[in-house]
Amino acid sequence: MFINNINPDIITVGPLSIRFYGMVYALGFLLINHILMQVSKKKKIKNLTNDRVSDLVVWSMILGIIGARIFNTIIEWGYYSKNPAQIIAIWNGGLAYQGGLAFALVYIYYYCKKYKISVIKLTDIVAAPMALTIAFGRIANFINSEHLGFVTNVSWCVKFVRVDDLCRHPAQIYQAFTQFLLFGILILLGKHTKKIGIRTWTFITGYGFLRFITDFYRTDMSRILFGLTLTQIVNLLMFFIGLYFIIKKVNDKI
């Protein structure tokens, strides 16, 4: 058993604090910005300039956070309806990745079409760093004592003392591990395939499948259909859509 009494604040000055959760996603977007800047300098993607990289990253981050918070509010409405002030308190955690991905992708698609930038080439490049950012984000969830797993007596269970005295599955760590695995797969694909779109659709497929499995260990979401949560239903859709396009890409049909 592990006792989780980790302080989620890195630095606190009066009422303000910097948390691991916010730092992880800030560093993730900085990493993506750096990678795309290098791609821009080497002119690997037509019409992608440094100014356009900055616009893409900043607005994708802003809209992604908004979308992630909206979707998280929907799936955890039971809590937020009783605590409406917490809806805007994103520093306490609570971002549903699927909502953030949807909002960010809509903006990226619009922006890339406007300036005739290849959407799929761009998403191929950012797929691996996105998986890595999500993995560290789940570790930040663990530090925040959120996204709790079901009570269990397995030897590696965790007691989140800031929540209760029960020993639980470390669901956040399970999800972090799967995203590190996905990151490794995407890196290998980048070295061994030149087919445009494979990394993008592998990310969509892998995230959907792995998140669908690990969500069975989480206790913080309502089961709405056949024992599945809303996020699991969305993850299944992601898995099948991604798998369809992977098969098409492998067969050189698109």
Side-chain angles (χ1 to χ4, degrees):
M1 180 179 66
F2 177 79
I3 305 296
N4 183 349
N5 57 0
I6 305 170
N7 185 350
D9 298 326
I10 303 172
I11 301 172
T12 301
V13 180
L16 303 177
S17 65
I18 298 176
R19 290 194 158 197
F20 286 100
Y21 189 84
M23 183 191 69
V24 163
Y25 284 101
L27 290 176
F29 280 108
L30 286 175
L31 173 63
I32 291 170
N33 185 78
H34 172 74
I35 291 171
L36 289 179
M37 284 291 188
Q38 297 306 308
V39 169
S40 170
K41 288 178 182 178
K42 295 177 182 178
K43 301 187 183 300
K44 290 185 176 181
I45 299 181
K46 185 179 179 182
N47 297 327
L48 183 66
T49 64
N50 286 357
D51 288 342
R52 289 170 183 171
V53 167
S54 297
D55 286 344
L56 271 169
V57 172
V58 170
W59 283 104
S60 295
M61 177 180 68
I62 293 171
L63 294 172
I65 290 172
I66 292 172
R69 192 59 168 181
I70 289 173
F71 192 51
N72 185 76
T73 301
I74 291 171
I75 62 179
E76 296 186 26
W77 181 244
Y79 169 77
Y80 288 111
S81 62
K82 297 174 183 176
N83 302 275
Q86 289 297 310
I87 292 176
I88 62 172
I90 61 172
W91 50 87
N92 290 329
L95 298 177
Y97 178 73
Q98 297 91 338
L101 179 65
F103 272 55
L105 282 179
V106 168
Y107 173 73
I108 290 170
Y109 180 82
Y110 158 77
Y111 194 89
C112 288
K113 287 298 180 183
K114 180 179 179 180
Y115 292 104
K116 297 179 179 173
I117 299 167
S118 172
V119 179
I120 201 71
K121 285 183 179 179
L122 189 143
T123 54
D124 270 356
I125 290 168
V126 302
M130 279 300 297
L132 184 64
T133 301
I134 295 168
F136 282 111
R138 289 308 178 196
I139 294 174
N141 292 142
F142 179 82
I143 293 171
N144 272 2
S145 296
E146 60 185 355
H147 300 337
L148 301 177
F150 283 102
V151 175
T152 181
N153 59 1
V154 296
S155 59
W156 59 88
C157 69
V158 177
K159 184 182 290 187
F160 297 88
V161 294
R162 291 190 292 116
V163 178
D164 54 35
D165 289 325
L166 302 175
C167 210
R168 301 172 177 275
H169 279 288
Q172 315 94 326
I173 300 302
Y174 299 164
Q175 294 185 333
F177 173 79
T178 61
Q179 292 308 302
F180 282 126
L181 176 64
L182 181 57
F183 169 72
I185 291 170
L186 292 169
I187 291 296
L188 288 174
L189 278 176
K191 293 180 178 179
H192 293 94
T193 181
K194 299 297 182 183
K195 287 190 176 182
I196 297 172
I198 286 291
R199 279 173 288 173
T200 295
W201 295 114
T202 298
F203 173 81
I204 297 294
T205 304
Y207 182 86
F209 174 74
L210 295 169
R211 178 69 190 274
F212 174 79
I213 298 299
T214 54
D215 268 9
F216 279 113
Y217 291 95
R218 285 178 55 173
T219 186
D220 58 326
M221 294 182 292
S222 300
R223 310 280 160 176
I224 63 172
L225 183 67
F226 303 119
L228 302 178
T229 67
L230 176 59
T231 59
Q232 284 181 301
I233 294 170
V234 173
N235 290 328
L236 274 181
L237 289 174
M238 289 175 64
F239 170 73
F240 285 116
I241 290 171
L243 186 61
Y244 170 80
F245 281 103
I246 287 174
I247 293 171
K248 288 286 189 180
K249 285 291 182 184
V250 169
N251 292 332
D252 286 325
K253 292 183 180 179
I254 58 175

